[in-house]
Amino acid sequence: MSASASLAGLTVEAARRALAAKFKASNIDSPDLDARLLIGAALGLDHTGLAVQSDRKMTEDEAGVIASFAQRRLMHEPVARILGHKEFWGLDLRLSDATLVPRPDTETIVAAALEIIGNDFAKDSKLRIADIGTGSGAILLALLSELPAATGIGTDISGEALHTAEINAQQLGLANRASFIQCDYASALDGPFDLIVSNPPYIRSADIPVLDRDVRDHDPHLALDGGPDGLDAYRAITPQAAALLAFGGVLIFEVGHDQSDQVSALMEGAGLTLPHPPKADLGGIYRAVMGRKAAI
Ligand code: GLN
């Protein structure tokens, strides 16, 4: 019997429980939540809608959609990828195969940037921002959503990622202040920038095979693989960024759990000063490393 045949005729609530049990048996991290999100999306219902319709029997078509979502989740495809979008900094972002699923940890970069800007600049100043390896546009668009007079440019090596970022900029009403350019890191950019942000690939190549399946099998390796010691991208970007920053401007990197010291040293090596200690994410891991191009 196919999965959809086994769900058809069940009530919404019974299907939700059946899915959650299957996910649990397959060691999916949050089986109940995932079952609810996928069934809600398949039926076009939010949390309340699901509760209101819990006794309704599902049609064949609905059961078919839910079964195909479930099949994908059982292959450890993240819910955000199945749904094709993910919330980041309160913004709804579209995803594609070429973009990472934006992580809550990455909101630390946005928070660090806004703190520095709050200290150094007036909220309505015409900041120029660059996001190197922008992916879905997450960091850049979050910043532009908070800074009404800022403009920004995102780069990515992947044209498909940039297409996704452009759609996100349009859907969020930020396209008039965001532009995107395909290049290797910052190689095609002209400065000066007041702020350069980047969440580059930083996983050691040898660690990729042992990553969580949700990440290893579904996030683009181009956005993960940081070379033998995980630091290749930082070595490439830091000198480029140091040259592109305005005097007083700041570079902010997302870093892996044990990389803040090495990335701080790379920044100092490129002539940047360290105006603030690294900022920790909600798990207490140093996640944002900041360097300033001192005024001369
Ligand atoms: N934070 C991601 C992960 O650990 C990695 C992202 C990156 O390499 N920039 O899954």
Side-chain angles (χ1 to χ4, degrees):
M1 199 201 287
S2 78
S4 56
S6 68
L7 290 172
L10 288 185
T11 64
V12 169
E13 174 58 16
R16 191 192 62 72
R17 273 190 267 116
L19 229 61
K22 267 192 189 172
F23 290 167
K24 198 166 191 172
S26 293
N27 290 322
I28 302 287
D29 271 348
S30 45
D32 291 303
L33 177 64
D34 291 4
R36 187 153 47 73
L37 289 172
L38 292 175
I39 292 184
L43 302 180
L45 297 173
D46 63 11
H47 194 58
T48 314
L50 276 179
V52 170
Q53 299 203 17
S54 62
D55 291 337
R56 174 169 81 71
K57 286 200 167 58
M58 291 188 309
T59 67
E60 283 280 350
D61 285 354
E62 289 170 339
V65 176
I66 292 170
S68 80
F69 283 179
Q71 208 50 47
R72 290 169 67 180
R73 187 67 191 110
L74 289 168
M75 299 301 291
H76 286 259
E77 185 170 349
V79 169
R81 272 200 199 287
I82 298 170
L83 303 185
H85 59 108
K86 170 82 178 171
E87 188 250 302
F88 178 82
W89 200 263
L91 308 175
D92 185 38
L93 295 177
R94 183 191 288 211
L95 307 177
S96 69
D97 288 347
T99 64
L100 286 179
V101 176
R103 317 284 207 256
D105 295 343
T106 301
E107 295 186 337
T108 312
I109 315 311
V110 178
L114 293 174
E115 279 168 28
I116 287 198
I117 289 166
N119 286 335
D120 295 6
F121 299 91
K123 179 142 180 133
D124 58 353
S125 62
K126 293 193 163 76
L127 292 167
R128 298 151 298 181
I129 303 172
D131 180 6
I132 314 301
T134 194
S136 61
I139 303 175
L140 179 64
L141 297 173
L143 289 171
L144 293 180
S145 77
E146 296 281 352
L147 302 165
T151 52
I153 182 158
T155 75
D156 210 285
I157 192 84
S158 160
E160 189 188 345
L162 290 176
H163 179 64
T164 307
E166 257 157 19
I167 292 172
N168 283 326
Q170 273 157 18
Q171 286 186 342
L172 295 168
L174 298 168
N176 57 336
R177 293 189 287 123
S179 50
F180 296 96
I181 181 164
Q182 187 172 7
C183 66
D184 203 7
Y185 298 129
S187 56
L189 294 184
D190 281 326
F193 293 98
D194 303 297
L195 176 66
I196 300 181
V197 290
S198 181
N199 172 20
Y202 57 66
I203 310 282
R204 288 177 196 86
S205 304
D207 291 344
I208 302 264
V210 294
L211 288 174
D212 200 54
R213 275 180 72 184
D214 291 32
V215 175
R216 184 196 65 201
D217 295 350
H218 299 284
D219 275 318
H221 287 196
L222 208 54
L224 296 174
D225 191 340
D229 66 355
L231 300 172
D232 279 1
Y234 301 109
R235 276 189 286 265
I237 297 169
T238 307
Q240 291 180 340
L244 290 166
L245 280 173
F247 290 110
V250 175
L251 167 64
I252 308 181
F253 274 130
E254 173 167 331
V255 298
H257 67 97
D258 56 358
Q259 294 172 327
S260 63
D261 287 346
Q262 289 155 303
V263 173
S264 298
L266 280 172
M267 286 191 176
E268 286 188 299
L272 302 178
T273 60
L274 304 176
H276 300 285
K279 184 176 174 68
D281 64 21
L282 292 177
I285 309 263
Y286 285 135
R287 195 56 77 185
V289 173
M290 292 151 265
R292 168 174 285 128
K293 182 159 166 176
I296 46 170

